[in-house]
Amino acid sequence: KAVTGKEFDELNVLGGGVKNGLMNTFIEEELHIPVRAGNAEASALGNALYTIYALTGELPLNAEVTEETTPIH
C-alpha cells in the first residue's frame, strides 16, 4: 500500500517463484494476504508470445489460452 496506495486481497505469483513454497509462505505471513501460485513456466510463455509478436506483429492471446496455460492454485 505504501508504494501504490492500493490494498490487495491476494497476490498471484507466476514463473519460477511458484516452486518456492517457503518463500510464498513468508510473503503470506508478511503481507497478511493469500499467495496463489500459478504456472511455473509463465515467464517462458510470455517470452514466446512476445517473440511471435515481434516476428508477426500479432499477439495470439485470449482468455481461453491464458486460462489453459496459466492455472492458478
Short mmCIF file of all heavy atoms in Angstrom, two decimals:
data_model
loop_
_atom_site.label_atom_id
_atom_site.label_comp_id
_atom_site.label_asym_id
_atom_site.label_seq_id
_atom_site.Cartn_x
_atom_site.Cartn_y
_atom_site.Cartn_z
N LYS A 1 0.82 -1.19 0.00
CA LYS A 1 0.00 0.00 0.00
C LYS A 1 0.86 1.25 0.00
O LYS A 1 0.50 2.24 -0.61
CB LYS A 1 -0.94 -0.02 1.20
CG LYS A 1 -1.87 1.16 1.25
CD LYS A 1 -2.85 1.06 2.38
CE LYS A 1 -3.71 2.28 2.39
NZ LYS A 1 -4.68 2.26 3.45
N ALA A 2 2.00 1.19 0.66
CA ALA A 2 2.87 2.36 0.74
C ALA A 2 3.37 2.77 -0.65
O ALA A 2 3.60 3.94 -0.90
CB ALA A 2 4.05 2.07 1.66
N VAL A 3 3.50 1.83 -1.55
CA VAL A 3 4.03 2.13 -2.89
C VAL A 3 2.93 2.54 -3.85
O VAL A 3 3.05 3.53 -4.56
CB VAL A 3 4.80 0.92 -3.46
CG1 VAL A 3 5.25 1.17 -4.88
CG2 VAL A 3 6.00 0.60 -2.57
N THR A 4 1.84 1.79 -3.88
CA THR A 4 0.78 2.02 -4.89
C THR A 4 -0.41 2.80 -4.36
O THR A 4 -1.19 3.32 -5.15
CB THR A 4 0.25 0.68 -5.42
OG1 THR A 4 -0.40 -0.02 -4.35
CG2 THR A 4 1.36 -0.17 -6.02
N GLY A 5 -0.57 2.83 -3.04
CA GLY A 5 -1.75 3.46 -2.47
C GLY A 5 -2.98 2.57 -2.54
O GLY A 5 -4.07 2.99 -2.19
N LYS A 6 -2.81 1.34 -2.99
CA LYS A 6 -3.93 0.40 -3.13
C LYS A 6 -3.75 -0.75 -2.17
O LYS A 6 -2.65 -1.11 -1.78
CB LYS A 6 -3.98 -0.15 -4.56
CG LYS A 6 -4.20 0.88 -5.62
CD LYS A 6 -4.20 0.26 -6.99
CE LYS A 6 -4.35 1.32 -8.06
NZ LYS A 6 -4.29 0.73 -9.40
N GLU A 7 -4.89 -1.35 -1.79
CA GLU A 7 -4.87 -2.56 -0.99
C GLU A 7 -5.24 -3.74 -1.87
O GLU A 7 -6.08 -3.63 -2.76
CB GLU A 7 -5.84 -2.45 0.18
CG GLU A 7 -5.39 -1.44 1.21
CD GLU A 7 -6.18 -1.54 2.50
OE1 GLU A 7 -6.65 -2.64 2.82
OE2 GLU A 7 -6.32 -0.51 3.15
N PHE A 8 -4.59 -4.87 -1.62
CA PHE A 8 -4.83 -6.06 -2.43
C PHE A 8 -5.35 -7.19 -1.54
O PHE A 8 -4.95 -7.31 -0.40
CB PHE A 8 -3.54 -6.49 -3.13
CG PHE A 8 -3.04 -5.45 -4.10
CD1 PHE A 8 -2.14 -4.48 -3.70
CD2 PHE A 8 -3.50 -5.44 -5.40
CE1 PHE A 8 -1.69 -3.51 -4.59
CE2 PHE A 8 -3.06 -4.48 -6.30
CZ PHE A 8 -2.15 -3.52 -5.89
N ASP A 9 -6.24 -8.02 -2.12
CA ASP A 9 -6.83 -9.15 -1.40
C ASP A 9 -6.00 -10.41 -1.50
O ASP A 9 -6.12 -11.31 -0.69
CB ASP A 9 -8.24 -9.45 -1.93
CG ASP A 9 -9.18 -8.28 -1.71
OD1 ASP A 9 -9.03 -7.57 -0.70
OD2 ASP A 9 -10.08 -8.10 -2.55
N GLU A 10 -5.16 -10.49 -2.55
CA GLU A 10 -4.33 -11.67 -2.77
C GLU A 10 -3.17 -11.29 -3.67
O GLU A 10 -3.18 -10.25 -4.32
CB GLU A 10 -5.13 -12.80 -3.40
CG GLU A 10 -5.63 -12.48 -4.79
CD GLU A 10 -6.53 -13.56 -5.36
OE1 GLU A 10 -6.97 -14.44 -4.61
OE2 GLU A 10 -6.78 -13.52 -6.57
N LEU A 11 -2.17 -12.17 -3.72
CA LEU A 11 -1.01 -11.98 -4.59
C LEU A 11 -0.88 -13.21 -5.46
O LEU A 11 -0.81 -14.34 -4.96
CB LEU A 11 0.26 -11.79 -3.75
CG LEU A 11 1.56 -11.69 -4.53
CD1 LEU A 11 1.59 -10.41 -5.36
CD2 LEU A 11 2.74 -11.74 -3.59
N ASN A 12 -0.89 -13.01 -6.78
CA ASN A 12 -0.71 -14.10 -7.73
C ASN A 12 0.75 -14.14 -8.15
O ASN A 12 1.27 -13.15 -8.66
CB ASN A 12 -1.60 -13.92 -8.95
CG ASN A 12 -3.06 -14.01 -8.59
OD1 ASN A 12 -3.47 -14.91 -7.87
ND2 ASN A 12 -3.85 -13.09 -9.07
N VAL A 13 1.40 -15.28 -7.93
CA VAL A 13 2.80 -15.45 -8.26
C VAL A 13 2.90 -16.33 -9.49
O VAL A 13 2.27 -17.38 -9.57
CB VAL A 13 3.57 -16.11 -7.08
CG1 VAL A 13 5.03 -16.31 -7.44
CG2 VAL A 13 3.44 -15.27 -5.83
N LEU A 14 3.69 -15.88 -10.47
CA LEU A 14 3.91 -16.64 -11.69
C LEU A 14 5.40 -16.82 -11.90
O LEU A 14 6.20 -16.07 -11.37
CB LEU A 14 3.31 -15.92 -12.90
CG LEU A 14 1.82 -15.67 -12.86
CD1 LEU A 14 1.40 -14.79 -14.02
CD2 LEU A 14 1.04 -16.97 -12.88
N GLY A 15 5.77 -17.79 -12.72
CA GLY A 15 7.18 -18.02 -13.01
C GLY A 15 7.82 -18.93 -11.98
O GLY A 15 7.15 -19.59 -11.19
N GLY A 16 9.13 -18.95 -11.98
CA GLY A 16 9.88 -19.86 -11.12
C GLY A 16 9.61 -19.72 -9.63
O GLY A 16 9.77 -20.67 -8.87
N GLY A 17 9.17 -18.54 -9.21
CA GLY A 17 8.89 -18.31 -7.79
C GLY A 17 7.80 -19.20 -7.22
O GLY A 17 7.75 -19.42 -6.01
N VAL A 18 6.94 -19.74 -8.07
CA VAL A 18 5.86 -20.60 -7.57
C VAL A 18 6.40 -21.89 -6.97
O VAL A 18 5.73 -22.53 -6.18
CB VAL A 18 4.81 -20.93 -8.65
CG1 VAL A 18 4.24 -19.67 -9.25
CG2 VAL A 18 5.35 -21.83 -9.71
N LYS A 19 7.61 -22.27 -7.37
CA LYS A 19 8.20 -23.51 -6.88
C LYS A 19 8.74 -23.39 -5.46
O LYS A 19 9.05 -24.40 -4.83
CB LYS A 19 9.33 -23.96 -7.80
CG LYS A 19 8.86 -24.30 -9.20
CD LYS A 19 10.02 -24.69 -10.08
CE LYS A 19 9.58 -24.99 -11.48
NZ LYS A 19 10.71 -25.35 -12.33
N ASN A 20 8.86 -22.17 -4.96
CA ASN A 20 9.43 -21.95 -3.63
C ASN A 20 8.30 -21.72 -2.62
O ASN A 20 7.93 -20.59 -2.32
CB ASN A 20 10.39 -20.77 -3.66
CG ASN A 20 11.19 -20.65 -2.40
OD1 ASN A 20 10.77 -21.07 -1.34
ND2 ASN A 20 12.36 -20.05 -2.51
N GLY A 21 7.76 -22.82 -2.12
CA GLY A 21 6.65 -22.74 -1.18
C GLY A 21 7.00 -21.98 0.09
O GLY A 21 6.17 -21.25 0.64
N LEU A 22 8.23 -22.13 0.56
CA LEU A 22 8.64 -21.43 1.77
C LEU A 22 8.63 -19.92 1.56
O LEU A 22 8.14 -19.17 2.40
CB LEU A 22 10.04 -21.90 2.21
CG LEU A 22 10.57 -21.31 3.51
CD1 LEU A 22 9.65 -21.64 4.68
CD2 LEU A 22 11.99 -21.83 3.78
N MET A 23 9.13 -19.46 0.42
CA MET A 23 9.12 -18.04 0.13
C MET A 23 7.69 -17.52 0.07
O MET A 23 7.36 -16.46 0.62
CB MET A 23 9.82 -17.74 -1.20
CG MET A 23 9.79 -16.25 -1.55
SD MET A 23 10.44 -15.88 -3.19
CE MET A 23 9.14 -16.50 -4.23
N ASN A 24 6.80 -18.28 -0.58
CA ASN A 24 5.41 -17.86 -0.68
C ASN A 24 4.75 -17.81 0.69
O ASN A 24 3.93 -16.92 0.96
CB ASN A 24 4.65 -18.77 -1.64
CG ASN A 24 5.14 -18.62 -3.07
OD1 ASN A 24 5.68 -17.59 -3.45
ND2 ASN A 24 4.96 -19.66 -3.85
N THR A 25 5.12 -18.72 1.58
CA THR A 25 4.60 -18.70 2.95
C THR A 25 5.07 -17.45 3.68
O THR A 25 4.30 -16.79 4.37
CB THR A 25 5.04 -19.96 3.71
OG1 THR A 25 4.50 -21.10 3.05
CG2 THR A 25 4.55 -19.94 5.15
N PHE A 26 6.36 -17.11 3.52
CA PHE A 26 6.89 -15.90 4.15
C PHE A 26 6.16 -14.65 3.64
O PHE A 26 5.84 -13.74 4.41
CB PHE A 26 8.38 -15.75 3.89
CG PHE A 26 9.25 -16.72 4.65
CD1 PHE A 26 10.49 -17.08 4.15
CD2 PHE A 26 8.84 -17.27 5.85
CE1 PHE A 26 11.31 -17.97 4.82
CE2 PHE A 26 9.65 -18.17 6.54
CZ PHE A 26 10.88 -18.51 6.03
N ILE A 27 5.89 -14.62 2.33
CA ILE A 27 5.18 -13.47 1.75
C ILE A 27 3.77 -13.37 2.34
O ILE A 27 3.31 -12.29 2.71
CB ILE A 27 5.13 -13.58 0.22
CG1 ILE A 27 6.54 -13.42 -0.36
CG2 ILE A 27 4.18 -12.54 -0.37
CD1 ILE A 27 6.63 -13.74 -1.84
N GLU A 28 3.08 -14.50 2.44
CA GLU A 28 1.73 -14.51 3.03
C GLU A 28 1.76 -13.97 4.46
O GLU A 28 0.91 -13.16 4.84
CB GLU A 28 1.16 -15.93 3.05
CG GLU A 28 0.62 -16.40 1.74
CD GLU A 28 -0.02 -17.77 1.84
OE1 GLU A 28 0.43 -18.61 2.65
OE2 GLU A 28 -0.98 -18.00 1.10
N GLU A 29 2.73 -14.44 5.22
CA GLU A 29 2.81 -14.02 6.62
C GLU A 29 3.14 -12.53 6.75
O GLU A 29 2.62 -11.86 7.63
CB GLU A 29 3.85 -14.87 7.35
CG GLU A 29 3.41 -16.31 7.53
CD GLU A 29 4.50 -17.20 8.11
OE1 GLU A 29 5.64 -16.74 8.33
OE2 GLU A 29 4.20 -18.40 8.33
N GLU A 30 3.98 -12.04 5.88
CA GLU A 30 4.37 -10.63 5.95
C GLU A 30 3.27 -9.69 5.46
O GLU A 30 3.02 -8.65 6.05
CB GLU A 30 5.65 -10.40 5.13
CG GLU A 30 6.21 -9.02 5.22
CD GLU A 30 6.71 -8.63 6.60
OE1 GLU A 30 7.13 -9.53 7.37
OE2 GLU A 30 6.69 -7.43 6.92
N LEU A 31 2.60 -10.07 4.37
CA LEU A 31 1.58 -9.22 3.78
C LEU A 31 0.19 -9.46 4.34
O LEU A 31 -0.72 -8.65 4.11
CB LEU A 31 1.55 -9.41 2.26
CG LEU A 31 2.83 -9.05 1.50
CD1 LEU A 31 2.65 -9.31 0.01
CD2 LEU A 31 3.23 -7.61 1.76
N HIS A 32 0.00 -10.58 5.00
CA HIS A 32 -1.31 -10.94 5.57
C HIS A 32 -2.39 -11.09 4.50
O HIS A 32 -3.55 -10.73 4.71
CB HIS A 32 -1.76 -9.95 6.64
CG HIS A 32 -0.75 -9.75 7.72
ND1 HIS A 32 -0.46 -10.71 8.67
CD2 HIS A 32 0.08 -8.71 7.98
CE1 HIS A 32 0.47 -10.26 9.48
NE2 HIS A 32 0.83 -9.05 9.08
N ILE A 33 -1.98 -11.60 3.33
CA ILE A 33 -2.92 -11.92 2.26
C ILE A 33 -2.49 -13.25 1.64
O ILE A 33 -1.32 -13.61 1.72
CB ILE A 33 -2.98 -10.83 1.16
CG1 ILE A 33 -1.61 -10.62 0.51
CG2 ILE A 33 -3.55 -9.52 1.70
CD1 ILE A 33 -1.61 -9.67 -0.69
N PRO A 34 -3.43 -14.00 1.04
CA PRO A 34 -3.06 -15.27 0.44
C PRO A 34 -2.19 -15.09 -0.80
O PRO A 34 -2.36 -14.13 -1.56
CB PRO A 34 -4.40 -15.91 0.07
CG PRO A 34 -5.43 -14.87 0.23
CD PRO A 34 -4.86 -13.73 0.99
N VAL A 35 -1.26 -16.01 -0.99
CA VAL A 35 -0.43 -16.06 -2.19
C VAL A 35 -0.93 -17.24 -3.02
O VAL A 35 -1.00 -18.36 -2.54
CB VAL A 35 1.06 -16.25 -1.83
CG1 VAL A 35 1.88 -16.52 -3.09
CG2 VAL A 35 1.59 -15.03 -1.10
N ARG A 36 -1.29 -16.96 -4.25
CA ARG A 36 -1.78 -18.00 -5.16
C ARG A 36 -0.69 -18.28 -6.19
O ARG A 36 -0.20 -17.37 -6.85
CB ARG A 36 -3.06 -17.54 -5.83
CG ARG A 36 -4.19 -17.33 -4.81
CD ARG A 36 -5.45 -16.84 -5.44
NE ARG A 36 -5.92 -17.85 -6.39
CZ ARG A 36 -6.88 -17.62 -7.26
NH1 ARG A 36 -7.46 -16.44 -7.33
NH2 ARG A 36 -7.28 -18.56 -8.09
N ALA A 37 -0.32 -19.54 -6.31
CA ALA A 37 0.75 -19.94 -7.22
C ALA A 37 0.18 -20.32 -8.57
O ALA A 37 -0.70 -21.16 -8.67
CB ALA A 37 1.52 -21.11 -6.63
N GLY A 38 0.71 -19.71 -9.61
CA GLY A 38 0.29 -20.01 -10.98
C GLY A 38 1.29 -20.92 -11.66
O GLY A 38 2.00 -21.69 -11.03
N ASN A 39 1.39 -20.77 -12.95
CA ASN A 39 2.23 -21.61 -13.79
C ASN A 39 3.70 -21.25 -13.63
O ASN A 39 4.09 -20.10 -13.80
CB ASN A 39 1.79 -21.45 -15.24
CG ASN A 39 2.42 -22.44 -16.17
OD1 ASN A 39 3.58 -22.78 -16.02
ND2 ASN A 39 1.65 -22.89 -17.14
N ALA A 40 4.53 -22.26 -13.36
CA ALA A 40 5.97 -22.03 -13.21
C ALA A 40 6.62 -21.64 -14.53
O ALA A 40 7.69 -21.05 -14.55
CB ALA A 40 6.63 -23.28 -12.65
N GLU A 41 5.97 -21.95 -15.64
CA GLU A 41 6.53 -21.64 -16.96
C GLU A 41 5.92 -20.38 -17.57
O GLU A 41 6.07 -20.13 -18.76
CB GLU A 41 6.35 -22.84 -17.89
CG GLU A 41 7.00 -24.11 -17.40
CD GLU A 41 8.49 -23.95 -17.12
OE1 GLU A 41 9.17 -23.20 -17.87
OE2 GLU A 41 8.98 -24.57 -16.17
N ALA A 42 5.25 -19.58 -16.77
CA ALA A 42 4.59 -18.38 -17.30
C ALA A 42 5.57 -17.41 -17.93
O ALA A 42 5.26 -16.77 -18.94
CB ALA A 42 3.80 -17.68 -16.20
N SER A 43 6.76 -17.30 -17.37
CA SER A 43 7.77 -16.39 -17.95
C SER A 43 8.17 -16.85 -19.34
O SER A 43 8.30 -16.04 -20.26
CB SER A 43 8.99 -16.32 -17.04
OG SER A 43 8.64 -15.82 -15.78
N ALA A 44 8.36 -18.14 -19.50
CA ALA A 44 8.72 -18.69 -20.81
C ALA A 44 7.58 -18.50 -21.81
O ALA A 44 7.80 -18.18 -22.98
CB ALA A 44 9.08 -20.17 -20.69
N LEU A 45 6.35 -18.69 -21.34
CA LEU A 45 5.19 -18.49 -22.21
C LEU A 45 5.12 -17.04 -22.68
O LEU A 45 4.92 -16.76 -23.86
CB LEU A 45 3.90 -18.87 -21.48
CG LEU A 45 2.60 -18.59 -22.22
CD1 LEU A 45 2.53 -19.40 -23.51
CD2 LEU A 45 1.41 -18.89 -21.33
N GLY A 46 5.30 -16.10 -21.77
CA GLY A 46 5.28 -14.69 -22.13
C GLY A 46 6.38 -14.36 -23.13
O GLY A 46 6.15 -13.62 -24.10
N ASN A 47 7.55 -14.91 -22.92
CA ASN A 47 8.65 -14.68 -23.84
C ASN A 47 8.31 -15.21 -25.24
O ASN A 47 8.55 -14.54 -26.25
CB ASN A 47 9.92 -15.35 -23.31
CG ASN A 47 11.14 -14.99 -24.11
OD1 ASN A 47 11.13 -14.06 -24.90
ND2 ASN A 47 12.20 -15.74 -23.91
N ALA A 48 7.74 -16.40 -25.29
CA ALA A 48 7.36 -16.99 -26.58
C ALA A 48 6.30 -16.14 -27.28
O ALA A 48 6.39 -15.90 -28.49
CB ALA A 48 6.86 -18.42 -26.38
N LEU A 49 5.31 -15.67 -26.53
CA LEU A 49 4.24 -14.86 -27.14
C LEU A 49 4.78 -13.56 -27.71
O LEU A 49 4.41 -13.14 -28.80
CB LEU A 49 3.15 -14.58 -26.11
CG LEU A 49 2.27 -15.76 -25.74
CD1 LEU A 49 1.37 -15.41 -24.57
CD2 LEU A 49 1.46 -16.22 -26.93
N TYR A 50 5.68 -12.91 -26.98
CA TYR A 50 6.21 -11.65 -27.49
C TYR A 50 7.22 -11.84 -28.61
O TYR A 50 7.41 -10.97 -29.44
CB TYR A 50 6.74 -10.78 -26.35
CG TYR A 50 5.59 -10.11 -25.66
CD1 TYR A 50 5.10 -10.57 -24.46
CD2 TYR A 50 4.93 -9.04 -26.27
CE1 TYR A 50 4.00 -9.98 -23.85
CE2 TYR A 50 3.83 -8.45 -25.68
CZ TYR A 50 3.37 -8.91 -24.48
OH TYR A 50 2.28 -8.33 -23.90
N THR A 51 7.85 -13.00 -28.68
CA THR A 51 8.70 -13.32 -29.83
C THR A 51 7.82 -13.48 -31.06
O THR A 51 8.15 -12.96 -32.14
CB THR A 51 9.51 -14.61 -29.57
OG1 THR A 51 10.36 -14.40 -28.44
CG2 THR A 51 10.33 -14.99 -30.78
N ILE A 52 6.69 -14.15 -30.90
CA ILE A 52 5.73 -14.28 -32.02
C ILE A 52 5.26 -12.90 -32.45
O ILE A 52 5.19 -12.59 -33.64
CB ILE A 52 4.53 -15.18 -31.61
CG1 ILE A 52 5.00 -16.61 -31.44
CG2 ILE A 52 3.41 -15.08 -32.64
CD1 ILE A 52 3.97 -17.52 -30.79
N TYR A 53 4.97 -12.04 -31.48
CA TYR A 53 4.52 -10.68 -31.79
C TYR A 53 5.59 -9.91 -32.56
O TYR A 53 5.30 -9.21 -33.54
CB TYR A 53 4.16 -9.95 -30.50
CG TYR A 53 3.76 -8.51 -30.71
CD1 TYR A 53 2.52 -8.20 -31.28
CD2 TYR A 53 4.61 -7.47 -30.36
CE1 TYR A 53 2.15 -6.89 -31.48
CE2 TYR A 53 4.24 -6.15 -30.57
CZ TYR A 53 3.01 -5.86 -31.13
OH TYR A 53 2.64 -4.56 -31.33
N ALA A 54 6.85 -10.04 -32.14
CA ALA A 54 7.94 -9.34 -32.81
C ALA A 54 8.10 -9.82 -34.25
O ALA A 54 8.43 -9.03 -35.14
CB ALA A 54 9.25 -9.54 -32.05
N LEU A 55 7.85 -11.08 -34.49
CA LEU A 55 8.02 -11.65 -35.83
C LEU A 55 6.82 -11.43 -36.74
O LEU A 55 6.97 -11.30 -37.96
CB LEU A 55 8.31 -13.15 -35.73
CG LEU A 55 9.64 -13.52 -35.05
CD1 LEU A 55 9.71 -15.03 -34.85
CD2 LEU A 55 10.82 -13.02 -35.86
N THR A 56 5.62 -11.39 -36.15
CA THR A 56 4.41 -11.35 -36.98
C THR A 56 3.60 -10.07 -36.82
O THR A 56 2.75 -9.78 -37.65
CB THR A 56 3.47 -12.52 -36.63
OG1 THR A 56 2.98 -12.34 -35.29
CG2 THR A 56 4.18 -13.86 -36.76
N GLY A 57 3.83 -9.35 -35.73
CA GLY A 57 3.02 -8.16 -35.47
C GLY A 57 1.68 -8.49 -34.84
O GLY A 57 0.84 -7.61 -34.63
N GLU A 58 1.44 -9.75 -34.55
CA GLU A 58 0.18 -10.18 -33.93
C GLU A 58 0.48 -10.87 -32.61
O GLU A 58 1.49 -11.57 -32.47
CB GLU A 58 -0.57 -11.14 -34.85
CG GLU A 58 -0.99 -10.52 -36.15
CD GLU A 58 -1.73 -11.52 -37.04
OE1 GLU A 58 -2.13 -12.59 -36.56
OE2 GLU A 58 -1.90 -11.20 -38.23
N LEU A 59 -0.39 -10.68 -31.65
CA LEU A 59 -0.23 -11.30 -30.34
C LEU A 59 -1.36 -12.30 -30.14
O LEU A 59 -2.50 -11.93 -29.89
CB LEU A 59 -0.25 -10.25 -29.22
CG LEU A 59 0.08 -10.72 -27.83
CD1 LEU A 59 1.47 -11.35 -27.78
CD2 LEU A 59 0.03 -9.55 -26.86
N PRO A 60 -1.07 -13.61 -30.27
CA PRO A 60 -2.11 -14.65 -30.19
C PRO A 60 -2.49 -14.94 -28.75
O PRO A 60 -2.15 -15.97 -28.19
CB PRO A 60 -1.44 -15.85 -30.85
CG PRO A 60 0.00 -15.68 -30.51
CD PRO A 60 0.23 -14.19 -30.53
N LEU A 61 -3.20 -14.02 -28.12
CA LEU A 61 -3.53 -14.17 -26.71
C LEU A 61 -5.01 -13.88 -26.51
O LEU A 61 -5.50 -12.85 -26.95
CB LEU A 61 -2.69 -13.23 -25.86
CG LEU A 61 -2.83 -13.33 -24.36
CD1 LEU A 61 -2.39 -14.71 -23.87
CD2 LEU A 61 -2.02 -12.27 -23.67
N ASN A 62 -5.69 -14.79 -25.86
CA ASN A 62 -7.08 -14.57 -25.48
C ASN A 62 -7.32 -15.24 -24.14
O ASN A 62 -6.47 -15.94 -23.62
CB ASN A 62 -8.05 -15.06 -26.57
CG ASN A 62 -7.92 -16.54 -26.82
OD1 ASN A 62 -7.84 -17.33 -25.89
ND2 ASN A 62 -7.89 -16.94 -28.08
N ALA A 63 -8.46 -15.03 -23.57
CA ALA A 63 -8.76 -15.55 -22.24
C ALA A 63 -8.67 -17.07 -22.19
O ALA A 63 -8.19 -17.64 -21.22
CB ALA A 63 -10.14 -15.08 -21.79
N GLU A 64 -9.10 -17.73 -23.25
CA GLU A 64 -9.07 -19.20 -23.27
C GLU A 64 -7.63 -19.71 -23.20
O GLU A 64 -7.32 -20.62 -22.44
CB GLU A 64 -9.76 -19.71 -24.52
CG GLU A 64 -9.83 -21.23 -24.59
CD GLU A 64 -10.57 -21.69 -25.84
OE1 GLU A 64 -11.72 -21.24 -26.04
OE2 GLU A 64 -10.01 -22.49 -26.58
N VAL A 65 -6.75 -19.14 -23.98
CA VAL A 65 -5.34 -19.54 -23.97
C VAL A 65 -4.74 -19.27 -22.60
O VAL A 65 -4.04 -20.11 -22.03
CB VAL A 65 -4.55 -18.79 -25.07
CG1 VAL A 65 -3.05 -19.03 -24.89
CG2 VAL A 65 -5.01 -19.23 -26.44
N THR A 66 -5.01 -18.12 -22.05
CA THR A 66 -4.46 -17.75 -20.75
C THR A 66 -4.91 -18.71 -19.65
O THR A 66 -4.11 -19.16 -18.86
CB THR A 66 -4.85 -16.31 -20.38
OG1 THR A 66 -4.41 -15.44 -21.41
CG2 THR A 66 -4.23 -15.89 -19.07
N GLU A 67 -6.19 -19.03 -19.60
CA GLU A 67 -6.71 -19.92 -18.58
C GLU A 67 -6.15 -21.32 -18.69
O GLU A 67 -5.88 -21.99 -17.69
CB GLU A 67 -8.24 -19.97 -18.65
CG GLU A 67 -8.90 -18.67 -18.17
CD GLU A 67 -10.39 -18.69 -18.35
OE1 GLU A 67 -10.95 -19.77 -18.65
OE2 GLU A 67 -11.00 -17.63 -18.19
N GLU A 68 -5.92 -21.79 -19.90
CA GLU A 68 -5.42 -23.14 -20.10
C GLU A 68 -3.92 -23.26 -19.81
O GLU A 68 -3.43 -24.31 -19.44
CB GLU A 68 -5.70 -23.62 -21.53
CG GLU A 68 -7.17 -23.88 -21.77
CD GLU A 68 -7.44 -24.35 -23.19
OE1 GLU A 68 -6.50 -24.73 -23.88
OE2 GLU A 68 -8.62 -24.33 -23.59
N THR A 69 -3.17 -22.19 -19.98
CA THR A 69 -1.73 -22.27 -19.85
C THR A 69 -1.20 -21.74 -18.52
O THR A 69 -0.07 -22.03 -18.15
CB THR A 69 -1.03 -21.50 -20.98
OG1 THR A 69 -1.46 -20.15 -20.97
CG2 THR A 69 -1.32 -22.14 -22.32
N THR A 70 -1.98 -20.96 -17.80
CA THR A 70 -1.50 -20.41 -16.52
C THR A 70 -2.52 -20.63 -15.41
O THR A 70 -3.10 -19.67 -14.89
CB THR A 70 -1.17 -18.91 -16.64
OG1 THR A 70 -2.35 -18.23 -17.12
CG2 THR A 70 -0.02 -18.67 -17.57
N PRO A 71 -2.77 -21.88 -15.04
CA PRO A 71 -3.73 -22.13 -13.96
C PRO A 71 -3.20 -21.57 -12.63
O PRO A 71 -2.01 -21.62 -12.36
CB PRO A 71 -3.84 -23.65 -13.91
CG PRO A 71 -2.55 -24.13 -14.49
CD PRO A 71 -2.14 -23.10 -15.51
N ILE A 72 -4.08 -21.04 -11.84
CA ILE A 72 -3.73 -20.51 -10.52
C ILE A 72 -4.23 -21.49 -9.46
O ILE A 72 -5.36 -21.92 -9.49
CB ILE A 72 -4.36 -19.12 -10.29
CG1 ILE A 72 -3.96 -18.13 -11.38
CG2 ILE A 72 -4.01 -18.59 -8.91
CD1 ILE A 72 -2.51 -17.72 -11.37
N HIS A 73 -3.35 -21.84 -8.52
CA HIS A 73 -3.70 -22.79 -7.45
C HIS A 73 -3.80 -22.08 -6.12
O HIS A 73 -3.07 -21.23 -5.81
CB HIS A 73 -2.66 -23.90 -7.35
CG HIS A 73 -2.44 -24.62 -8.65
ND1 HIS A 73 -3.35 -25.51 -9.16
CD2 HIS A 73 -1.44 -24.55 -9.54
CE1 HIS A 73 -2.88 -25.96 -10.31
NE2 HIS A 73 -1.74 -25.40 -10.56
#
